Amino acid sequence: MQQANWIGMVVLSTLSMAFGIFFLFFHESQLQAEADLLQVSGQVSWVETHRYSINFALKEHPQVFSYSKGAGAAHRVRRALEVAGGKVVVLRYEKATHGPIFSDDRYHSVWEIQINQQLVRSYPQIASAIAAGEKLKPWLGWFFVCSGGYLAYVARQTRRAQRLNSSFNHLFPWT
């Protein structure tokens, strides 16, 4: 039973350190350069609220757009899209698409929303909200690295204690 404890701690330590290294060195920023954004306008066709985003489409446009809840003011954006009706919606969005792994659904991330010449959410507001969320990534990375180091230390101590105590196992056959 104790062997499983230290082996499990070694596995968790390795996973934790791998997550930490990923967040510290390999996780790319989600910020999109303003100059690279595309623009489209039209009337809202449909709006769906999901756990992490608000997905919607414009009439006569094949693209499906996604407004991330991490971009802030999601409730206000959803409400504005739902009541837009026949008003002209102007979007600035990312050319690249994203979507669920096990689905063919593809979405364009929205970086600015304007309805009837009135700005609902601007690029600087969205970029600021996304950047604030990304400030946590280094802290999260260091947390995982330190947790992994601590688990490795505890696993080592457990293994050393187990090896030391194994010489006395013949004295206690019921354990």
Side-chain angles (χ1 to χ4, degrees):
M1 180 67 178
Q2 284 194 356
Q3 183 178 7
N5 287 343
W6 74 266
I7 291 174
M9 283 189 269
V10 167
V11 170
L12 286 176
S13 169
T14 304
L15 287 173
S16 181
M17 286 188 176
F19 278 132
I21 290 170
F22 173 75
F23 280 122
L24 288 173
F25 300 110
F26 298 109
H27 197 270
E28 294 180 13
S29 173
Q30 299 297 316
L31 289 176
Q32 180 70 26
E34 190 172 7
D36 296 337
L37 298 177
L38 302 175
Q39 185 170 327
V40 68
S41 63
Q43 296 173 339
V44 175
S45 173
W46 54 267
V47 179
E48 291 179 352
T49 303
H50 295 277
R51 185 174 186 172
Y52 299 110
S53 66
I54 300 165
N55 297 338
F56 59 98
L58 300 179
K59 293 178 183 174
E60 300 178 13
H61 292 284
Q63 302 100 327
V64 178
F65 303 99
S66 177
Y67 180 82
S68 172
K69 288 187 178 179
H75 181 71
R76 193 176 89 189
V77 169
R78 180 181 53 82
R79 182 77 179 130
L81 289 170
E82 288 175 346
V83 300
K87 298 176 184 171
V88 175
V89 177
V90 179
L91 303 174
R92 294 186 65 208
Y93 66 96
E94 196 173 318
K95 182 179 181 179
T97 60
H98 63 87
I101 295 172
F102 299 110
S103 173
D104 292 335
D105 297 340
R106 307 309 295 164
Y107 307 106
H108 293 274
S109 295
V110 174
W111 287 86
E112 188 171 278
I113 300 175
Q114 190 176 16
I115 298 176
N116 255 13
Q117 305 294 326
Q118 186 176 16
L119 202 58
V120 176
R121 199 77 173 136
S122 69
Y123 174 84
Q125 291 171 323
I126 293 172
S128 172
I130 298 291
E134 288 187 351
K135 286 181 183 178
L136 296 175
K137 288 178 187 171
W139 292 101
L140 189 61
W142 281 113
F143 170 77
F144 277 118
V145 167
C146 293
S147 297
Y150 176 73
L151 286 171
Y153 172 77
V154 171
R156 181 175 177 264
Q157 294 299 95
T158 303
R159 177 66 178 138
R160 287 180 70 195
Q162 182 184 20
R163 292 175 86 196
L164 180 65
N165 292 336
S166 68
S167 61
F168 299 107
N169 282 348
H170 68 282
L171 297 175
F172 307 102
W174 57 85
T175 59

